[in-house]
């Protein structure tokens, strides 16, 4: 099991979503998968790092990403 959080990006339609992933390593079974979502406004995945680490420490695969227009993701935040 890996307690390291790994950054990732995913490009879609000219936008880039930025995220973090951690937990069970390749080929290792995970107890569950947790997808953590931040709030709107000035939220970002960075606020979720303690929870990502906690899920990973308990054998779960966990990921969080910045919504479009938030944190390190490109795009506009709809008003």
């Amino acid at each position: 099991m890996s307690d390291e959080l790994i950054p990732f990006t995913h490009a879609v339609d000219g936008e880039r979503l930025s995220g973090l992933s951690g937990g069970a390593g390749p080929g290792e079974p995970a107890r569950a998968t947790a997808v953590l979502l931040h709030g709107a406004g000035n939220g970002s995945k960075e606020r979720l790092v303690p929870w990502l680490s906690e899920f990973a420490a308990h054998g779960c695969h966990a990921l969080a990403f910045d919504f479009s227009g938030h944190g390190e993701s490109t795009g506009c935040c709809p008003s």
Side-chain angles (χ1 to χ4, degrees):
M1 176 172 47
S2 171
D3 18 340
E4 179 184 353
L5 295 178
I6 300 166
F8 67 88
T9 58
H10 184 74
V12 177
D13 294 333
E15 283 194 36
R16 185 191 76 247
L17 294 179
S18 174
L20 293 170
S21 175
E28 296 178 31
R31 294 179 62 188
T33 299
V35 178
L36 305 174
L37 307 172
H38 64 74
N42 62 358
S44 79
K45 68 185 178 302
E46 302 307 322
R47 298 178 69 183
L48 302 172
V49 167
W51 289 280
L52 285 170
S53 298
E54 190 68 22
F55 276 109
H58 285 89
C60 298
H61 181 77
L63 66 94
F65 61 92
D66 289 329
F67 286 117
S68 179
H70 291 78
E72 296 176 347
S73 290
T74 62
C76 297
C77 185
S79 49

